[in-house]
Amino acid sequence: MRARAAVLAEVKKPLQIWELEVDAPKEGEVLVRVVAAGVCHSDLHYIQGDLETPLPAVPGHEGAGVVEAVGPGVTRFRPGDPVLFVFRAFCGQCFYCLNGRPALCDFSNPIRRTGRMFDGTTRFHRNGADVHHVLGVSCFAEYTVVPEQGLLPLPPDIPLDRAALVGCGVTTGVGAVLFAAGVRAGESVLVIGCGGVGLNVVQGAALVGAGPVIAADVVPQKLDWARQLGATHTIDPREQDVVEVVRELTGGRGADYAFEVIGRADTIQQAYAATRKGGTTVIVGLTPMGTTVPLDPLDLLRTEKTIKATLYGSANLPRDIPRLLELYRLGRLRLDELISRRLRLEEINDGFEAMLAGSVARSIVMFEH
Ligand code: APR
Ligand code: ZN
């Protein structure tokens, strides 16, 4: 079949809308009609060349859709099923999966590394030439093919644009608080960077009753949104010293938990400096490849801080994604408010520009079929 897709042909250039040939799903694969796809900063990392992936390729890893067809051997899905993409397809049987850490499963490494399905071929082509997959999802396309292990079933009552956000930003951000850090009521939290992911760290902290919840961002609008999602205090680092203000708000100690949700060496150091003795610095943002941060082991020892990182919110995806959706149903988790803008596929580059300009929490591409 033919499908339009936003293609990354060259780094540091806007995505191009190409009409692709999409192959039928092979053994163990599923063809999905994409309904909604979030514009996440990780896609921008590929566009800017901060993260590498074989090109040309179809990015997009935060999305939801409806199963169109299944390949031989697929037992878990049928045409018509609403589904969520997971950007770390997991086997369900290995050490990590059995220990509730599917994001650490190695199953889909070959797809992520080569941009090709397990048999070494791609399901996207243009004029006979291969177009690659990204993270085994590639949902910036009207139709995409993924391994069945890269999908989770969605309940029929959750709108697919809201559900899409749970495929990356919500699970990463809320999960960082609930599953990676295990923040408890009354503990103090600092969140540096309140974009699509950071706002979810803020709402996760509010959800567990943390306090104070201190949000820092260089864009005032982001601080407004952070307050709406439960931040008790906000800091604009251009006007105030983040570490100083955090100490003032925490009895001079620093935050119990400091989350870095941008992916920069300087703000990771800032988060560490703002963490109290015995507290935890949590790295959520993806740094460009090759970034290093100096570590003073003597300071680490004397302060007994913990530095930890979290991938995909350290979530046990098949257990925790239904939980997050249930919290949305109950009105405890906000998804509607996170969508600042809905775009057509042709407008996708506006979504990245708006992200860079800081004017959106999340833009979401809605496909018209
Ligand atoms: N101090 C505070 N905030 C900053 C600073 C700074 N020095 N520099 C940038 N920011 C803010 C931006 O204003 C923006 O609100 O960080 C936020 C980043 O958010 P987004 O661009 O929306 O990115 P998001 O999708 O939230 O992803 C954040 O997490 O998963 C990773 O790959 C992702 O590395 C990215 C990070
Ligand atoms: Zn993402």
Side-chain angles (χ1 to χ4, degrees):
M1 65 156 51
R2 302 187 72 78
R4 287 176 314 132
V7 175
L8 178 61
E10 220 184 311
V11 294
K12 301 191 201 304
K13 294 275 165 62
L15 300 183
Q16 300 174 19
I17 307 301
W18 288 6
E19 177 141 332
L20 303 178
E21 295 111 50
V22 181
D23 296 341
K26 293 193 184 175
E27 177 89 31
E29 296 173 357
V30 179
L31 174 70
V32 179
R33 173 168 61 84
V34 182
V35 172
V39 175
C40 174
H41 207 117
S42 305
D43 296 308
L44 189 59
H45 287 316
Y46 290 112
I47 296 175
Q48 293 177 327
D50 293 336
L51 295 176
E52 274 173 3
T53 196
L55 302 181
V58 180
H61 62 277
E62 178 182 274
V66 176
V67 172
E68 182 77 12
V70 298
V74 171
T75 54
R76 285 184 261 172
F77 300 98
R78 285 191 306 196
D81 288 350
V83 285
L84 180 70
F85 297 107
V86 296
F87 64 84
R88 307 284 302 200
F90 58 96
C91 73
Q93 283 148 22
C94 71
F95 174 88
Y96 294 106
C97 288
L98 294 178
N99 281 282
R101 306 303 308 280
L104 300 180
C105 173
D106 291 320
F107 172 73
S108 51
N109 290 3
I111 299 184
R112 281 194 300 278
R113 195 178 59 245
T114 64
R116 295 167 177 277
M117 291 290 144
F118 291 117
D119 68 354
T121 62
T122 67
R123 302 292 164 271
F124 299 123
H125 314 276
R126 190 210 201 193
N127 305 329
D130 291 346
V131 175
H132 296 86
H133 301 262
V134 177
L135 296 176
V137 177
S138 293
C139 61
F140 289 158
E142 292 173 310
Y143 290 90
T144 187
V145 175
V146 302
E148 70 171 323
Q149 293 85 350
L151 294 173
L152 286 174
L154 282 171
D157 61 316
I158 308 273
L160 293 180
D161 53 355
R162 276 26 83 80
L165 302 179
V166 181
C168 178
V170 172
T171 300
T172 300
V174 177
V177 177
L178 270 64
F179 313 127
V183 178
R184 286 167 299 183
E187 293 187 306
S188 55
V189 167
L190 166 67
V191 184
I192 304 179
C194 300
V197 180
L199 287 172
N200 282 297
V201 177
V202 170
Q203 77 160 327
L207 185 68
V208 300
V213 177
I214 308 160
D217 201 292
V218 289
V219 177
Q221 171 73 74
K222 300 291 174 76
L223 298 177
D224 283 345
W225 286 329
R227 276 188 293 270
Q228 285 165 30
L229 290 169
T232 58
H233 300 77
T234 55
I235 307 173
D236 183 338
R238 295 168 312 172
E239 287 167 9
Q240 286 179 294
D241 185 273
V242 174
V243 178
E244 243 170 58
V245 177
V246 170
R247 289 211 177 117
E248 274 164 31
L249 293 170
T250 54
R253 292 186 298 274
D256 294 325
Y257 294 93
F259 295 84
E260 199 278 355
V261 205
I262 308 168
R264 293 166 51 122
D266 60 343
T267 40
I268 290 172
Q269 286 178 273
Q270 192 174 51
Y272 179 78
T275 303
R276 73 156 165 85
K277 282 190 281 185
T280 304
T281 308
V282 187
I283 300 171
V284 187
L286 298 179
T287 50
M289 283 181 307
T291 304
T292 57
V293 180
L295 173 71
D296 177 350
L298 184 60
D299 181 72
L300 188 64
L301 186 149
R302 284 179 174 155
T303 60
E304 283 197 8
K305 293 184 190 181
T306 298
I307 303 173
K308 75 177 271 112
T310 171
L311 172 65
Y312 222 148
S314 308
N316 183 350
L317 299 166
R319 181 196 69 182
D320 295 332
I321 285 182
R323 281 188 180 178
L324 294 173
L325 293 172
E326 177 64 3
L327 286 168
Y328 169 68
R329 255 193 218 105
L330 296 169
R332 305 294 291 271
L333 190 72
R334 289 196 267 168
L335 300 179
D336 305 10
E337 292 81 353
L338 298 174
I339 302 177
S340 313
R341 212 167 152 192
R342 288 180 173 76
L343 306 170
R344 291 179 303 118
L345 181 63
E346 288 72 23
E347 300 169 315
I348 191 163
N349 291 303
D350 299 350
F352 287 108
E353 273 162 36
M355 167 175 278
L356 276 172
S359 59
V360 291
R362 258 296 186 268
S363 306
I364 191 148
V365 176
M366 302 297 298
F367 291 87
E368 296 146 16
H369 286 276

